Amino acid sequence: MSEQLIVPTMAEMMAEGKQPEILFWVGSAGSYDDRAKKITRAFVKILNKANVNFAVLGTEESNTGDVAKRAGNEFLFQMQAVMNIEVLNAYEVKRIVTCDPHSFNCLKNEYPGLGGQYDVIHHTQFIKELMESGRLTLEGDTYKGKRITFHDPCYLGRANSVYEAPRDVLKKTNATLVEMKRHKGTALCCGAGGAQMFKDAEPGNKEINVLRTEDALETLPEIIATGCPYCNTMMTDGVKFKEKEGDIKVMDIAELIANA
Amino acid sequence: MEYLPNIIFAVILIIGIGYFARNVKKLIRNIKLGHEVDASENTAERWKNVINIALGQSKLIRRPVSGFLHAIVYVGFIIINIEVLEIIIDGIFGTHRIGQEVLPASLYGFLIGSFEVLAVLVLVSVIIFWIRRNIIKVKRFFSAEMKGWPKNDGNIILYFEVVLMCLFLVMNASDTPFQAADSGNVISQFIAPWFSGFSEGTLHIIEKSAWWIHIVGILVFLNYLYFSKHLHILLAFPNVYFGKLEPKGKFNNLDAVTAEVKLMMDPDADPYAAPAETAEDEVPAKFGASDVMDLTQVQLLNAYTCTECGRCTSECPANLTGKKLSPRKIMMDTRDRLEEVGKNIDLNKGKFVDDGKQLLGDYITNEELWACTTCNACVEACPVSIDPLSIIMEMRRYLVMEQSAAPMELNNMMTNIENNGAPWPYNQMDRLNWKDEN
């Protein structure tokens, strides 16, 4: 009983002579990772519900090169960036939204120097915008009174000082927002950043995601909310490690809102 | 003979300041070994940061206990140093408490009185600092990199401050005319009775000795700075000025790479063309950093500014989970290597002679570099805008682009991106498949 999503591509739009108001940058995780794909679908559900005139690049999108850059491979990053910028500029893209803070940071901060100037926002910022302009309204009370704690993704929070948008969106669900001891500027990384997602950790006495999950568990949450596909994976693994997956859900804000 | 003390004083002053100036010159020379950085823009914002972060200590106070104590010592030190001005004038001209003569009695009393109160507050704070380092053993002072000299250095600075403050109070307490005037001796009046049994002559000797040891102590301390972690009391200001203004997540794009990428992407470029004529002494661009000379002047200034407080390390997710990486150690290693290079230059008449060592490998290991999650917690935590992450990134760049020495899993990830535009081995044509899955 798959719900049919409307996902126009830039190529289709162009063929019809149309220009979307915003480009949805899906990102590699959002395109291929099984867990992250659910976030992608949830976000599209929101876009469809709010009648947002958007498009994706589809098979013309390629990895931003962000993870290569953090790994130290500036060549690969710039090759990817230049290719993507060529496509984006050809479609005269002005505004981009993405569910991945790493893509967000990379497109927003590192593409301009290579010729890609766009207004880039994170999906939590866009959802907030849709709610405040009245294009998106929450009918249900699914999360009323539920204890939700938000884990700040490093590349959204510290890296770009976006702390309030995700919290503002969560507050709109009438949930009880509980903060971890380390939050906002001092939030602990989930352990996936800087290309760690793709390698084993160096020897130590604990996994970073387990430490961060312990931070979250201290708040006795029913839901751990995230705004990053990598954080989501790390926190989900952490919750499983703590054998709490029966009681606590790890959800992206897009999923929370899509189900509200 | 009448002017002997004045001459001795002037000589000590010149030696003290001269030796310090010599070391400052060396420090500037060492920093200039790094690449130049253009910080000519946004001067207003830079000054604002100096006022808020350096002068106003806005980031220090985030940890209330150490932040508050630090503020006392900082304010105390700056204000009490006004007294040094009087000491220098007295020393050179042979006057005694020139301020007492030229300033209105009430103002002079107020000034010295505030210095005395601050001296006591500084004493108390410094003692608490010592307790935190030696009795309570605050964890961040006991990381692996804090053994030996760094630990002693921290304590020596505290002892210096205790001695200097005590000398200042003793100097005031044993100054009979000053006590008799009874203005500004808020604290020293309670110390004066300890000396009540002494003759006037002895008191005078005590007072003069305290005065001399105090000023010599200050000059020794000034010169100690260069050899210790304590340079931050001077360098914090320029360091904050040159600190990063852009979003923390924005890493620089390497221009040398951009030039090559543009060439590769240019359909008109002739792949068989001979390389363009270059000047003979032009060194091909090196990607990333393996030694201090490959870093920027700001990164080297960062290294000298670090006072080893360890707030970065205490927030580093890798360090918190037992990995070897410690952002503070990255800064200490960079400084130690830079000092080593500086000494090499001194010994070899102004030229660096290859010593077979470098920052990468001999100081910082690959294991430390690969443990970083680039989360910026260290950068956020630093009270004086030091950026350890930028050094880690430059060294990763060197490892990957010059040595192809990335961990195998990362090489796989990068090969995937090259081949199919995703870090996993999935077909590019499947990028939109999520649309129809559930």
Side-chain angles (χ1 to χ4, degrees):
Chain A
M1 289 295 284
S2 165
E3 197 177 346
Q4 203 49 51
L5 299 173
I6 307 158
V7 190
T9 62
M10 283 304 293
E12 290 160 12
M13 281 264 179
M14 201 180 197
E16 293 170 35
K18 286 192 219 154
Q19 182 73 12
E21 64 170 283
I22 200 157
L23 174 91
F24 172 29
W25 184 275
V26 183
S28 292
S31 302
Y32 295 115
D33 180 84
D34 283 335
R35 179 68 187 84
K37 280 193 276 190
K38 294 198 172 115
I39 301 170
T40 306
R41 290 180 58 85
F43 183 56
V44 169
K45 207 172 136 188
I46 294 169
L47 294 175
N48 285 169
K49 195 176 162 202
N51 286 317
V52 175
N53 177 19
F54 77 102
V56 298
L57 284 175
T59 54
E60 288 183 283
E61 185 187 291
S62 189
N63 187 273
T64 53
D66 162 80
V67 65
K69 189 179 177 81
R70 313 292 136 180
N73 195 336
E74 183 71 8
F75 263 108
L76 183 52
F77 158 68
Q78 291 202 16
M79 292 289 287
Q80 290 298 117
V82 169
M83 282 194 308
N84 282 321
I85 288 168
E86 218 162 274
V87 175
L88 290 166
N89 287 355
Y91 284 124
E92 293 175 11
V93 170
K94 302 273 179 297
R95 203 161 188 233
I96 301 176
V97 62
T98 176
C99 301
D100 173 8
H102 298 264
S103 296
F104 164 72
N105 176 71
C106 191
L107 293 165
K108 175 174 166 285
N109 295 322
E110 292 160 355
Y111 273 34
L114 299 168
Q117 309 267 355
Y118 320 104
D119 171 19
V120 188
I121 58 169
H122 186 242
H123 71 306
T124 57
Q125 293 174 303
F126 194 57
I127 293 171
K128 186 186 167 193
E129 198 181 300
L130 292 175
M131 285 175 157
E132 283 176 355
S133 61
R135 293 170 74 185
L136 180 70
T137 44
L138 296 183
E139 290 127 24
D141 249 345
T142 325
Y143 303 105
K144 191 169 177 184
K146 282 230 157 84
R147 287 176 73 85
I148 302 184
T149 189
F150 177 66
H151 162 75
D152 288 279
C154 302
Y155 276 87
L156 185 65
R158 262 192 304 274
N160 289 292
S161 306
V162 178
Y163 297 116
E164 297 311 326
R167 290 179 168 78
D168 289 345
V169 170
L170 285 175
K171 279 178 201 152
K172 291 255 190 328
T173 65
N174 291 324
T176 306
L177 198 55
V178 280
E179 293 288 5
M180 293 181 232
K181 229 188 283 167
R182 295 185 258 229
H183 65 279
K184 294 188 179 171
T186 55
L188 188 77
C189 175
C190 71
Q196 300 296 341
M197 183 76 188
F198 300 95
K199 61 184 264 299
D200 285 327
E202 276 60 32
N205 52 35
K206 197 179 227 176
E207 293 295 339
I208 296 173
N209 67 325
V210 172
L211 182 62
R212 186 51 171 166
T213 303
E214 288 167 358
D215 281 1
L217 295 185
E218 272 179 25
T219 69
L220 307 172
E222 286 159 89
I223 296 168
I224 299 172
T226 65
C228 169
Y230 299 107
C231 295
N232 193 306
T233 302
M234 297 309 266
M235 297 305 280
T236 305
D237 287 351
V239 169
K240 274 188 201 145
F241 181 85
K242 290 278 168 188
E243 298 177 346
K244 292 276 182 197
E245 68 266 37
D247 317 320
I248 299 168
K249 276 196 207 158
V250 180
M251 292 174 84
D252 191 276
I253 288 184
E255 295 175 297
L256 275 154
I257 298 303
N259 298 339
Chain B
M1 282 304 277
E2 193 193 338
Y3 294 110
L4 193 60
N6 308 40
I7 295 166
I8 293 175
F9 182 84
V11 169
I12 291 176
L13 194 65
I14 289 167
I15 293 174
I17 294 177
Y19 189 61
F20 179 65
R22 203 185 86 122
N23 282 330
V24 168
K25 261 172 128 177
K26 229 181 243 182
L27 184 122
I28 292 170
R29 178 203 66 193
N30 291 353
I31 288 174
K32 286 203 167 154
L33 292 172
H35 297 306
E36 265 185 58
V37 176
D38 179 20
S40 56
E41 283 177 19
N42 305 314
T43 46
E45 203 184 343
R46 291 182 183 282
W47 281 112
K48 211 177 106 191
N49 283 345
V50 171
I51 290 166
N52 289 338
I53 300 173
L55 263 177
Q57 314 217 329
S58 56
K59 289 179 89 176
L60 250 143
I61 207 72
R62 287 186 192 169
R63 296 202 184 176
V65 177
S66 58
F68 179 67
L69 294 170
H70 185 273
I72 292 175
V73 175
Y74 161 78
V75 171
F77 234 72
I78 289 179
I79 294 182
I80 296 169
N81 271 324
I82 300 174
E83 167 69 8
V84 177
L85 193 68
E86 184 184 43
I87 292 180
I88 290 173
I89 297 172
D90 282 349
I92 294 172
F93 298 104
T95 48
H96 178 71
R97 292 194 184 265
I98 182 83
Q100 215 167 13
E101 286 165 36
V102 297
L103 297 175
S106 56
L107 178 61
Y108 187 75
F110 171 75
L111 281 176
I112 299 290
S114 356
F115 301 161
E116 287 200 349
V117 172
L118 280 168
V120 172
L121 289 175
V122 169
L123 262 179
V124 172
S125 307
V126 165
I127 290 166
I128 300 174
F129 277 148
W130 187 87
I131 292 170
R132 283 163 59 87
R133 274 179 188 263
N134 298 282
I135 313 244
I136 305 174
K137 303 202 172 183
V138 173
K139 194 165 162 266
R140 65 185 153 106
F141 299 124
F142 287 85
S143 315
E145 69 268 20
M146 294 306 285
K147 293 197 173 77
W149 170 245
K151 183 178 191 307
N152 296 336
D153 187 18
N155 282 330
I156 289 170
I157 292 161
L158 296 178
Y159 300 144
F160 252 114
E161 292 174 17
V162 168
V163 170
L164 288 178
M165 291 305 117
C166 289
L167 284 168
F168 173 69
L169 291 172
V170 166
M171 177 180 98
N172 287 354
S174 56
D175 187 335
T176 333
F178 175 71
Q179 290 301 329
D182 203 21
S183 165
N185 56 345
V186 220
I187 305 293
S188 57
Q189 58 177 305
F190 301 106
I191 306 171
W194 302 352
F195 302 110
S196 57
F198 294 107
S199 72
E200 196 151 322
T202 317
L203 269 180
H204 189 68
I205 293 170
I206 294 175
E207 193 253 331
K208 274 291 143 197
S209 311
W211 187 92
W212 278 98
I213 303 170
H214 181 65
I215 185 66
V216 171
I218 287 173
L219 288 172
V220 171
F221 190 58
L222 181 72
N223 281 287
Y224 179 75
L225 292 182
Y226 179 74
F227 303 95
S228 90
K229 69 183 189 81
H230 216 51
L231 271 170
H232 80 289
I233 65 172
L234 303 171
L235 297 185
F237 300 92
N239 196 70
V240 167
Y241 182 87
F242 289 109
K244 186 173 179 175
L245 299 177
E246 290 158 326
K248 289 191 189 66
K250 180 177 178 177
F251 293 5
N252 67 329
N253 294 332
L254 279 184
D255 292 337
V257 171
T258 311
E260 299 218 10
V261 168
K262 288 255 158 76
L263 196 69
M264 283 163 88
M265 306 294 278
D266 181 3
D268 299 326
D270 175 7
Y272 303 109
E277 291 283 326
T278 48
E280 233 166 72
D281 56 346
E282 198 175 309
V283 187
K286 177 175 174 180
F287 299 121
S290 62
D291 209 346
V292 285
M293 298 78 110
D294 307 325
L295 297 171
T296 70
Q297 295 180 358
V298 172
Q299 286 167 326
L300 299 184
L301 173 64
N302 278 185
Y304 274 126
T305 305
C306 175
T307 195
E308 303 169 8
C309 74
R311 290 183 184 211
C312 51
T313 295
S314 72
E315 307 237 338
C316 171
N319 194 275
L320 285 171
T321 51
K323 277 87 176 172
K324 269 200 186 132
L325 174 64
S326 161
R328 168 172 56 190
K329 180 177 174 290
I330 300 286
M331 301 319 299
M332 293 166 70
D333 285 343
T334 305
R335 182 200 57 211
D336 291 349
R337 171 61 183 160
L338 183 55
E339 273 297 293
E340 185 176 59
V341 169
K343 284 190 186 119
N344 180 311
I345 292 173
D346 290 336
L347 284 175
N348 295 297
K349 298 177 186 125
K351 261 200 91 146
F352 176 68
V353 176
D354 188 11
D355 58 357
K357 287 206 237 171
Q358 57 173 15
L359 183 60
L360 178 66
D362 295 305
Y363 287 82
I364 299 172
T365 60
N366 295 13
E367 181 179 333
E368 291 164 71
L369 297 171
W370 289 118
C372 175
T373 68
T374 72
C375 76
N376 263 307
C378 55
V379 183
E380 176 81 24
C382 182
V384 290
S385 307
I386 292 171
D387 186 351
L389 173 54
S390 69
I391 297 179
I392 295 172
M393 277 314 303
E394 284 306 328
M395 297 183 79
R396 276 193 183 182
R397 283 171 169 173
Y398 178 84
L399 283 176
V400 172
M401 291 192 284
E402 296 279 353
Q403 299 203 309
S404 305
M408 194 191 44
E409 305 118 297
L410 290 189
N411 279 331
N412 291 340
M413 174 275 286
M414 292 187 281
T415 308
N416 287 330
I417 293 179
E418 274 169 39
N419 292 341
N420 45 272
W424 304 281
Y426 294 119
N427 193 319
Q428 169 80 31
M429 287 302 127
D430 294 339
R431 238 186 204 268
L432 200 50
N433 287 5
W434 55 267
K435 182 167 75 118
D436 305 308
E437 293 168 9
N438 200 7

